[in-house]
Amino acid sequence: MRRHVTLITGAGGEIGHGLIERLSADGDSPIITIDLKPLDPGIRELVEQEYMGSILETHLLERILSEYLVDTIYHLAAILSTRAEFTPVTGHEINVEGTLKLLDFAQAQGESHGRPVAFLYPSSIAAYGLPDLETKASAGAVREHEWNNPTTMYGCNKLYCEHLGRYYALYYKQLAAETLSGKVDFRAIRFPGLISAVTVPSGGTSDYAPEMIHAAARGEAYACFVRPDTRIPFMVMPDAVDALVKLAQADAANLRKTVYNITAFNPSAAEVRELVLAGFPGAQITFMPDLKRQAIVDSWPADVDDNAARADWGLAPRYDLEHGFSEFLIPRIRERYGAADG
Ligand code: AKB
């Protein structure tokens, strides 16, 4: 008998860590994972089966199809915005072809067990592209359908995969004699920059905020790669994980969209520095903008409108800017590195 499970791709990454801990604590369904690298020992013991390999390997996905009934997929595997600019074709391969493979896998699973497979997809503020700083300032909190002109390969990939997901959910093989759509229950969140107390991100362009905090806790000097006035939305990792799980559990009848903005706070880089200095007064944080990475962050909105997520599935981040730093990030990161108070 094939067992019912939840599948997480890219499980060893930043979101995967917190998600595995959360789902295993909830205990609703055994977890299986795919990642290129072995999972950290602390989370490996929480999963039923760990597959090491690429999401592009058809054989790997077919093996999973033959061994398990997958009810829910959290498709986290991706190459982030900075890294994908250096290798755009590989970025496309992982981010788009990989997602297409997983959507097709979900369709096959849904056809095999007869129920829709929930497909949770982390999209990103990178799906937006504002042309200049004046427009960014006047746009305010952007809504999901506005400014969908990404400037990065990663942003283009995310926006296109949102459409692929909608296609699988609503229109898949629409000319076939029988109705085949509806087997993939696609739900996407456009995440802001995420800040974890446990892991340091790599390959993203919103990384300056988490890098600043982790460097301060390690007692290392940090040169921030964006200007002090740079402003984009952020959220702490537990709230991001909570949002994913909430959206997965939401009643389909309440979901008016397939793609939802979410945010918790949107400090400038200078404000992040101030908060880090309040927790680590000796921290050495300077600004040395990298004009090319700056241009990417300048094309992302200063704020997003997440009213639809709040209304449709109860998005309610626990941490605002002040509490996110004083009650969560600073104490947890200090504990992680064994940093002295102040
Ligand atoms: C990145 O910087 O690429 C990601 C994102 C904003 O999606 N953190």
Side-chain angles (χ1 to χ4, degrees):
M1 286 293 284
R2 295 185 300 159
R3 289 189 70 196
H4 289 269
V5 290
T6 293
L7 167 65
I8 305 177
T9 72
E14 281 225 290
I15 302 178
H17 261 251
L19 184 63
I20 290 174
E21 282 171 0
R22 167 66 192 272
L23 293 179
S24 89
D26 289 354
D28 293 337
S29 154
I31 302 164
I32 62 169
T33 62
I34 305 180
D35 204 296
L36 287 172
K37 294 194 216 131
L39 295 175
D40 286 350
I43 53 169
R44 188 180 310 147
E45 64 200 29
L46 305 177
V47 312
E48 151 124 2
Q49 169 97 44
E50 173 190 13
Y51 292 93
M52 261 201 294
S54 163
I55 50 168
L56 296 172
E57 286 170 43
T58 305
H59 285 108
L60 181 57
L61 295 177
E62 279 183 353
R63 199 175 132 202
I64 295 175
L65 190 59
S66 72
E67 290 174 357
Y68 290 102
L69 288 165
V70 176
D71 297 314
T72 305
I73 298 172
Y74 291 89
H75 174 42
L76 310 180
I79 295 191
L80 296 183
S81 55
T82 290
R83 192 159 293 156
E85 281 318 295
F86 290 107
T87 55
V89 173
T90 306
H92 187 278
E93 219 166 71
I94 302 294
N95 296 344
V96 174
E97 289 167 39
T99 301
L100 184 63
K101 270 201 182 293
L102 262 296
L103 284 167
D104 220 53
F105 169 82
Q107 177 71 28
Q109 280 278 348
E111 286 177 19
S112 147
H113 59 48
R115 292 178 313 282
V117 172
F119 193 105
L120 279 297
Y121 182 66
S123 187
S124 163
I125 47 165
Y128 293 107
L130 292 112
D132 49 52
L133 286 174
E134 293 69 41
T135 312
K136 174 165 170 158
S138 62
V142 302
R143 286 184 294 163
E144 285 85 352
H145 63 277
E146 297 176 321
W147 303 107
N148 294 153
N149 297 302
T151 67
T152 60
M153 174 53 96
Y154 172 75
C156 294
N157 297 163
K158 288 290 180 190
L159 187 59
Y160 174 58
C161 287
E162 292 175 3
H163 288 295
L164 279 181
R166 189 174 48 81
Y167 167 75
Y168 268 78
L170 302 177
Y171 304 108
Y172 179 75
K173 287 194 178 169
Q174 57 193 294
L175 299 182
E178 46 177 334
T179 303
L180 292 165
S181 60
K183 296 287 185 277
V184 180
D185 179 0
F186 181 82
R187 305 174 179 200
I189 288 179
R190 281 199 192 143
F191 278 112
L194 299 179
I195 313 178
S196 165
V198 186
T199 50
V200 191
S202 74
T205 321
S206 62
D207 293 0
Y208 60 90
E211 283 174 359
M212 211 186 273
I213 311 168
H214 284 263
R218 288 195 298 255
E220 293 168 4
Y222 183 70
C224 178
F225 62 79
V226 295
R227 291 184 316 267
D229 65 303
T230 305
R231 194 181 290 279
I232 57 168
F234 282 99
M235 179 176 266
V236 296
M237 193 58 80
D239 278 338
V241 166
D242 192 58
L244 261 181
V245 174
K246 258 202 176 118
L247 179 58
Q249 291 170 348
D251 186 341
N254 294 335
L255 302 180
R256 290 170 297 161
K257 293 170 178 286
T258 46
V259 178
Y260 289 90
N261 280 339
I262 69 169
T263 182
F265 43 81
N266 67 332
S268 67
E271 286 161 354
V272 175
R273 179 177 181 273
E274 288 310 309
L275 287 160
V276 174
L277 282 171
F280 302 99
Q284 292 172 47
I285 304 167
T286 52
F287 288 93
M288 203 188 293
D290 168 334
L291 297 184
K292 293 186 171 164
R293 289 181 96 185
Q294 178 76 59
I296 291 177
V297 186
D298 284 346
S299 77
W300 294 348
D303 198 3
V304 294
D305 179 334
D306 62 7
N307 282 316
R310 288 174 191 266
D312 289 7
W313 46 273
L315 170 74
R318 189 166 144 210
Y319 293 105
D320 61 15
L321 179 60
E322 202 193 306
H323 295 102
F325 274 76
S326 65
E327 287 175 16
F328 176 70
L329 290 169
I330 302 284
R332 291 292 179 85
I333 293 177
R334 183 178 283 147
E335 192 182 300
R336 180 188 189 293
Y337 295 105
D341 273 7

